[in-house]
Amino acid sequence: MIRIRRLSMRYALEDQHITVLDDVDLDIRRGESVAIVGPSGSGKTTLLLLLAGLERPASGTIAIEDTDLAALDADGLADLRRDHLGIIFQSFHLIPSLTALGNVALPLEIAGSPAAAQRARHMLERVGLGARVQHHPAQMSGGEQQRVAIARALVHQPSLVLADEPTGNLDEASADTVLTLLRDLVAETGAGLILVTHSDRLAALMPRRLHLRAGVLA
C-alpha cells in the first residue's frame, strides 16, 4: 500500500537547515498495522504530514496505492485524502458547534455521499456512542471525543488510517481502550493503520513496531 524511498525532510532555520527525516525507506502492506515510536522531535508527525500530502518532502518519493504523491497537485492530494485516508489527531479537532453526529457525518456530506447521517449514526454505535449522537464535544469526556474522531476518520471506509498520538491527551486506562478500539475497527475494515506515538507501552499493542530516532528509521 505504501512505498517510501530515500525520503528526507529539512526545514530552514535562520542560516542553517534542520534535518527532520533522513533518507527513510519504508514499505507497508495493505491492511498492515504499524506503530512508529520515537521521542518528541524525532520526525514522527512530519512523516505523517508527508504521507497525508500536507507537506512536500525535500527529496525522495512516497507512493500510496501506486500513486506517486509528487505527481499530484493540491486538488489531487485533497481527493486522495477524501477517498483513501482517515486522519486522527491528538487534539481531536472536532467542530464545537456540531453534535457528534454532525462531526462524523461532515466528511460524507462534503463528499456528497448518500445517507450521510445514517452511516454516521451507525459508526457512532460501533464506537460505543450510540446514546451520545446529539451531544456536542464540550458535553463529552476526552475519551469520548477521541472515539468521535475515530468514527469520523473511519466513516468513509478509507484504505489507510494515519493516527498522530491519538491517545496523547488521555489517561492510561482511556488510552488503552481507545487504541484497542481503533486497532480492532481498522482490522475489521481491512484498512492499513500507521500510529505514531512516544509510548513503547502503547506501541506494544500493535503487531509491527518501528523506531524513529533523529530522523532515521530503524
Side-chain angles (χ1 to χ4, degrees), residues 55-88:
E55 295 273 7
R56 296 280 192 179
S59 60
T61 61
I62 302 173
I64 298 178
E65 299 276 11
D66 294 322
T67 298
D68 183 352
L69 268 59
L72 300 177
D73 60 12
D75 288 339
L77 290 169
D79 290 344
L80 177 79
R81 288 189 290 270
R82 181 194 65 204
D83 297 336
H84 294 290
L85 302 184
I87 305 175
I88 303 168

Side-chain angles (χ1 to χ4, degrees), residues 125-137:
E125 290 171 353
R126 292 290 292 110
V127 300
L129 294 176
R132 304 284 259 162
V133 293
Q134 295 303 327
H135 288 75
H136 289 79

Side-chain angles (χ1 to χ4, degrees), residues 13-31:
L13 182 62
E14 296 180 351
D15 59 346
Q16 60 181 329
H17 285 83
I18 304 299
T19 298
V20 182
L21 294 172
D22 189 12
D23 215 22
V24 170
D25 288 338
L26 178 62
D27 290 305
I28 295 177
R29 298 186 300 274
R30 183 178 302 278

Side-chain angles (χ1 to χ4, degrees), residues 94 99-101 104 120-136 139-152 178 181:
L94 301 178
T99 63
L101 184 66
V104 177
R121 186 181 296 274
H122 173 72
M123 199 68 233
L124 283 165
E125 290 171 353
R126 292 290 292 110
V127 300
L129 294 176
R132 304 284 259 162
V133 293
Q134 295 303 327
H135 288 75
H136 289 79
Q139 299 171 299
M140 293 182 282
S141 69
E144 288 171 332
Q145 289 184 64
Q146 193 59 293
R147 281 189 276 161
V148 174
I150 289 171
R152 180 183 58 189
V178 164
L181 174 67

